[in-house]
Each structure stands twice: as structure tokens, then as C-alpha cells.
């Protein structure tokens, strides 16, 4: 993070599409063939954009409303998407989960929900080390499918520039899936239409959860009846895509100038910068400050007020509503001690910031066998504490950022379904961080809906 001696970046300095190259860029792959990289980037620069400026600005407008407390954001998806899981069935499950959780949250929070997938481009991962050692063999770490392969062999782990092109191709394919689903009307699901709520049977407090979920279901059914042949008019919610803007070569190649002179990242509606690359003097912040998209930045227990003030000045110098989102990810045990000073810093600067809680990345732990997991109760506890601390500091939690799968995976512990360490081997598909499965995720949405109001009233 920011060292006391680091020069404070100048938010007024001129920006250019490649000005990030003169700043330290962390987490970039080491390509061994610069010519091949150059050729891949040239090709990528001629590929069509994945999204359009109009919808990017539309999202920015919605995020501005969320920042004013008039909407809530649900941003959700895999830690890392996989090329080999990119089929229509998988996208369908992700969209169904996002949609059903949104419906539950809308009912409970009484706010429209902005649906955002960690989707159609979430292929690059920051890692804590450069090398991975196994049984005396040391190889470069897996950095996501847009960089190298997951298999532990030298050929797979080599950073391959062709993967940047494949990443664009897979993102385009996922977007095609989204359009197919929209045409098929999957954006009008009723609550139990896609999978059953059998997990409720196992919830100890089902007497409390069941009437709430029946009410959600009843309301949706009534709306569908009201809407007659055009339920889309009532239930339709447009979805947006987001990913971590990690590989700056890739992001630059898909950043294009609009006729009005502004630059847009057209690889995604909503790029975010991860905790490991959020240094105010770093290349990621330098790149992002020049694009007109809405931006998000992860903040954690080590983010200090001085650093946060610099980020606010660089990424949103005009204090434009909807422009900047801060996603705090601290861990249930740390949030009470660390979130307040960040909120106070934002309030003191009178900065228009949308706050999201990522209750996943501060709650990761390894079991004795080495498996990475997260516990449902920790995730829920961090969300509860976030609502409370925001209310206490005169602020508002505007949304959730989750790693979750619409598939029946076994990666996180607990929930009503009571996943135990011994269950995790059954269907652990993530190659990076553990995700809530569909039952755990729906349960989380139901519990947040039921209790958010009370959490905000806590002294
Ligand atoms: C992530 O979102 O997968 C991630 C790596 O998060 P963070 O930057 O918060 O560690
Ligand atoms: Co992750």
C-alpha cells in the first residue's frame, strides 16, 4: 500500500491511453515472447468492443441513484470465470441466481436492485505470490484463464498472449448467452421456477423464513398476472457486466474514444480495481482515472485515510455521482474496527461515493488439508456489521459484492444446508476462491432482506 515516501499523484496531470506505462504496474504476467504479445494486442485492438458507451452511462446513472439510497446493487459471480465452463447452461444458472436473489432483496429492502454480473470478462486474477511450489517443483502461479492454464505443468503455466484474444472471444460468447436468455424470457423467473427451495426444510428458523419467501413468491405471481402477456414490463431488469481491470494491456486494447472525445473501457460496463493494485501511484489507478465508465475500488483493513483521499481525488475529481464505488472487504472480525474511519474520511471530504460490502475476501481461510473455504456465518456477520457501521457513521450500505454460483457447488461451509468440511470435496469447481452455492446464496438474500432494517437500527 501507500508508502509514506511515495510522491502524491497529481489528479490534474494529463492522461493518455498509455500513461499508465510510466507507473508501477503490479500483477502483470511475464510474457516470454514480446513479439507474440505485440501481435496479439494489435489483433485485439481491431476486435469489436463488447459493450457500448450508452449502457455504460445508463449504469452510471443508476449507480448515482444507488448512492442516494434509491437503489441497491447486487454484484455477483465467480471469483474467476473459466473458458471450459462457458456454456449456455452455466450462464443461465448465474443469471437465474442473480435474478432470484434480486427479487428477494427488492422485496425485503423495498428498493429496485441493479443487477451486475462478475461475468463476461472476469478471467484474470491477482495472486499473492509469483511462484507455486509443489513437491520440490516451482512453477509460475495460475493467473486466470486469460493468462495461463491451471494445470501444474510448465507448458500450461506459461503466460500465453493468445489467451487475451480467447478471453475477448469468451466474453463475447457469454454476452450472446445473455441475449439468448433475454429473448427466452428467463429474466422473468418466479422464485421457485428454476430450482426448489428445499434448503428451507433444513433451516432451523424456517418458521420465520418461509412466510417471507412465500410472500415474495406471491407478489411475483401477482405481478405476472397483472402484467398479462407482457410480464417483462413489470419484472424485467437489465443486467450489467463487470470484471477486475487487472491486465492493463487487455483493458487498453479495448478502450476506445467516443465521438464526444471521452474514452470508454468497452470491455465491460463497470471495471473495478482490486485491493492488490489499488495504490494511488500505481498503473491501475492511472489507467482507470482516464476512462468515463463508472469505477469501483476495493478497500481493506490496510487502506488508510490519506490513501483513500488520494483515490477520491484521482478517480472522481469532479465528485460526479455514480462515478466511484468503494467496495470494502475486511472480514467479519475486522470490520467494526476498520470501516468507520474510511466512512469518516469520505464524509469529511463530502465525497459522493457508493459503498458496497464484499463479505467474501476478508473471510477466506484454509482447512488443515489446505482447501480454501469461507463460512456462511462469517459472510452474513460481515454484512450485518456493515449495515450497522454505515448507519452509525451517517452513511448507507448501497449493495453487496459476492462470489456465488448458480450451480450446486460445495465450496463454502454452513448455511441451512449445513455444509461441513468433509462435504467440500463433493463438487469443488472453483480454481481460485470458494463461492456460495445457489442455496446458500438465496438463503443469504433472504436473511439480508429480513434483517437489514434491524441491523441499521443497532446503536
Ligand atoms: C476478487 O474480487 O476476486 C479479489 C481478488 O478481490 P480483492 O481484490 O478484494 O482481494
Ligand atoms: Co475472489
Amino acid at each position: 500500500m501507500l508508502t509514506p515516501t511515495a510522491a502524491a499523484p497529481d489528479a490534474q496531470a494529463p492522461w493518455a491511453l498509455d500513461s499508465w506505462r510510466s507507473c508501477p504496474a503490479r500483477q502483470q504476467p511475464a510474457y516470454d515472447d514480446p513479439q507474440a504479445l505485440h501481435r496479439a494486442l494489435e489483433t485485439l485492438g481491431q476486435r469489436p468492443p463488447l459493450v457500448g458507451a450508452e449502457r455504460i452511462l445508463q449504469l452510471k446513472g443508476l449507480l448515482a441513484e444507488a448512492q442516494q439510497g434509491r437503489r441497491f446493487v447486487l454484484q455477483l459471480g465467480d471469483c474467476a470465470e473459466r473458458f471450459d465452463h462457458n456454456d449456455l447452461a452455466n450462464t443461465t444458472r448465474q443469471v437465474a441466481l442473480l435474478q432470484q436473489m434480486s427479487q428477494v432483496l427488492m422485496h425485503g429492502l423495498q428498493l429496485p436492485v441493479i443487477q451486475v454480473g462478475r461475468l463476461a470478462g472476469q478471467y484474470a486474477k491477482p495472486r499473492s505470490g509469483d511462484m507455486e511450489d509443489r513437491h520440490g517443483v516451482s512453477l509460475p502461479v495460475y493467473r486466470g484463464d486469460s493468462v495461463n492454464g491451471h494445470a501444474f505443468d510448465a507448458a500450461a503455466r506459461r503466460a500465453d498472449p493468445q489467451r487475451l484474444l480467447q478471453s475477448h472471444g469468451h466474453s463475447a460468447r457469454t454476452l450472446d448467452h445473455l441475449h439468448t436468455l433475454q429473448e427466452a424470457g428467463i429474466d422473468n423467473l418466479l422464485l421457485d421456477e428454476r430450482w426448489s427451495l428445499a434448503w428451507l426444510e433444513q433451516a432451523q428458523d424456517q418458521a420465520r423464513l418461509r412466510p417471507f419467501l412465500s410472500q415474495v413468491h406471491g407478489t411475483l405471481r401477482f405481478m405476472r398476472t397483472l402484467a398479462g402477456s407482457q410480464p417483462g414490463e413489470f419484472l424485467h431488469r437489465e443486467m450489467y457486466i463487470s470484471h477486475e481491470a487487472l491486465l492493463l494491456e487487455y483493458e487498453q486494447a479495448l478502450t476506445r474514444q467516443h465521438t464526444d472525445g471521452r474514452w470508454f473501457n468497452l470491455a465491460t460496463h463497470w471495471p473495478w480495481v482490486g485491493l492488490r493494485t489499488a495504490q494511488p501511484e500505481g498503473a491501475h489507478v492511472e489507467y482507470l482515472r482516464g476512462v468515463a465508465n463508472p469505477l469501483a475500488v476495493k478497500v481493506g483493513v490496510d487502506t488508510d485515510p490519506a490513501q483513500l483521499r488520494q483515490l477520491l481525488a484521482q478517480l472522481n475529481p469532479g465528485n460526479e455521482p455514480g462515478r466511484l464505488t468503494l467496495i470494502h472487504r475486511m472480514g467479519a472480525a475486522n470490520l467494526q474496527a476498520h470501516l468507520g474511519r474510511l466512512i469518516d474520511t469520505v464524509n469529511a471530504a463530502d465525497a459522493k461515493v457508493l459503498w458496497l460490502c464484499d463479505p467474501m475476501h476478508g473471510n477466506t481461510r484454509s482447512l488443515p488439508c489446505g482447501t480454501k473455504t469461507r463460512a456462511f456465518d462469517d459472510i452474513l456477520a460481515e454484512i450485518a456489521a456493515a449495515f450497522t457501521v454505515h448507519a452509525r457513521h451517517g452513511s448507507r450500505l448501497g449493495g453487496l459484492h459476492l462470489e456465488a454460483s448458480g450451480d450446486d457447488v460445495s465450496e463454502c461451509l454452513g448455511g441451512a444446508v449445513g455444509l461441513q468440511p468433509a462435504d467440500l470435496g463433493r463438487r469443488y469447481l472453483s480454481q481460485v476462491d470458494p463461492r456460495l452455492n445457489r442455496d446458500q446464496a438465496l438463503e443469504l438474500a433472504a436473511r439480508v432482506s429480513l434483517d437489514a432494517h434491524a441491523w441499521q437500527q443497532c446503536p
Side-chain angles (χ1 to χ4, degrees):
M1 287 290 144
L2 185 71
T3 57
T5 52
D10 178 3
Q12 306 304 320
W15 179 91
L17 183 55
D18 60 356
S19 54
W20 61 267
R21 290 178 192 275
S22 55
C23 305
R26 296 196 185 172
Q27 299 285 340
Q28 303 306 290
Y31 293 102
D32 58 18
D33 182 349
Q35 304 288 322
L37 175 65
H38 182 74
R39 282 193 302 275
L41 292 174
E42 262 192 358
T43 308
L44 193 57
Q46 283 151 20
R47 288 269 180 101
L50 293 163
V51 298
E54 208 167 294
R55 290 210 68 227
I56 290 173
L57 293 174
Q58 191 178 59
L59 173 63
K60 201 194 266 185
L62 295 177
L63 295 173
E65 292 180 20
Q67 186 254 315
Q68 291 151 9
R70 293 190 280 134
R71 291 181 187 271
F72 195 76
V73 177
L74 179 61
Q75 185 178 22
L76 162 163
D78 300 327
C79 179
E81 290 179 280
R82 295 172 57 158
F83 291 169
D84 64 351
H85 284 184
N86 185 17
D87 53 35
L88 183 60
N90 189 56
T91 309
T92 305
R93 287 190 292 264
Q94 291 303 88
V95 171
L97 180 67
L98 188 51
Q99 195 192 355
Q100 298 203 319
M101 289 177 72
S102 297
Q103 290 167 350
V104 170
L105 287 167
M106 278 192 268
H107 203 279
L109 304 177
Q110 293 288 299
L111 288 172
V113 169
I114 307 168
Q115 296 182 31
V116 185
R118 283 176 64 116
L119 197 78
Q122 177 53 20
Y123 288 114
K125 297 310 300 173
R127 304 311 302 263
S128 36
D130 286 337
M131 302 301 284
E132 180 178 347
D133 299 317
R134 280 194 214 174
H135 313 297
V137 181
S138 187
L139 290 176
V141 285
Y142 170 65
R143 291 184 176 275
D145 279 6
S146 57
V147 176
N148 56 3
H150 186 258
F152 192 73
D153 64 65
R157 290 294 172 89
R158 178 179 165 268
D160 178 0
Q162 283 302 311
R163 284 177 172 269
L164 297 171
L165 294 169
Q166 290 164 8
S167 187
H168 175 275
H170 276 284
S171 302
R173 191 159 157 215
T174 309
L175 287 166
D176 277 349
H177 297 154
L178 294 181
H179 292 139
T180 305
L181 294 174
Q182 225 166 17
E183 307 251 307
I186 189 154
D187 53 343
N188 285 306
L189 284 180
L190 292 185
L191 189 55
D192 61 355
E193 222 162 54
R194 189 134 192 111
W195 45 67
S196 80
L197 296 175
W199 58 268
L200 256 181
E201 302 293 332
Q202 290 164 264
Q204 281 175 359
D205 58 346
Q206 59 170 291
R208 189 168 165 259
L209 288 166
R210 193 176 288 282
F212 170 71
L213 287 168
S214 310
Q215 222 180 44
V216 178
H217 191 178
T219 306
L220 291 170
R221 216 172 25 211
F222 176 62
M223 286 171 72
R224 194 181 260 192
T225 311
L226 256 189
S229 59
Q230 298 221 303
E233 295 296 310
F234 276 78
L235 298 180
H236 181 76
R237 287 283 177 276
E238 286 204 84
M239 190 181 151
Y240 298 88
I241 60 168
S242 65
H243 68 241
E244 177 172 351
L246 184 72
L247 301 182
L248 291 170
E249 302 276 19
Y250 178 86
E251 304 300 332
Q252 176 181 334
L254 288 162
T255 301
R256 311 279 164 87
Q257 195 166 23
H258 199 253
T259 46
D260 67 7
R262 286 185 290 180
W263 291 90
F264 285 87
N265 180 321
L266 298 181
T268 191
H269 299 116
W270 196 13
W272 80 80
V273 54
L275 191 72
R276 292 176 183 80
T277 50
Q279 305 77 29
E281 71 283 9
H284 292 78
V285 169
E286 174 59 22
Y287 160 73
L288 280 174
R289 83 181 170 93
V291 300
N293 302 57
L295 309 173
V297 183
K298 297 275 198 102
V299 292
V301 292
D302 294 330
T303 308
D304 65 50
Q307 180 187 7
L308 183 54
R309 277 191 293 272
Q310 285 186 18
L311 289 171
L312 297 174
Q314 280 176 286
L315 295 175
N316 197 12
N319 211 9
E320 179 192 1
R323 161 71 168 178
L324 185 61
T325 297
L326 296 175
I327 306 173
H328 51 75
R329 33 83 87 220
M330 301 191 158
N334 303 321
L335 184 137
Q336 297 274 2
H338 294 275
L339 179 58
R341 67 168 177 270
L342 298 187
I343 298 175
D344 293 346
T345 303
V346 165
N347 289 351
D350 208 10
K352 292 192 170 61
V353 156
L354 169 65
W355 290 100
L356 302 194
C357 172
D358 164 358
M360 313 301 295
H361 290 88
N363 290 314
T364 315
R365 55 184 158 100
S366 291
L367 296 173
C369 60
T371 304
K372 263 211 262 183
T373 192
R374 293 160 173 159
F376 181 92
D377 287 346
D378 292 341
I379 293 166
L380 186 64
E382 180 158 355
I383 296 172
F387 272 103
T388 302
V389 172
H390 275 285
R392 196 183 290 150
H393 288 257
S395 172
R396 190 194 317 263
L397 182 64
L400 300 176
H401 178 110
L402 304 173
E403 289 183 344
S405 169
D407 203 347
D408 175 30
V409 296
S410 55
E411 299 170 4
C412 288
L413 299 170
V417 288
L419 283 190
Q420 300 296 311
D423 299 322
L424 298 189
R426 180 175 56 79
R427 207 168 150 72
Y428 198 113
L429 301 182
S430 175
Q431 291 175 331
V432 193
D433 292 336
R435 302 160 294 176
L436 294 166
N437 66 24
R438 65 190 188 201
D439 289 343
Q440 292 167 325
L442 264 183
E443 180 185 347
L444 189 77
R447 294 192 182 283
V448 170
S449 290
L450 274 170
D451 291 330
H453 187 70
W455 295 331
Q456 283 170 299
Q457 305 306 312
C458 281

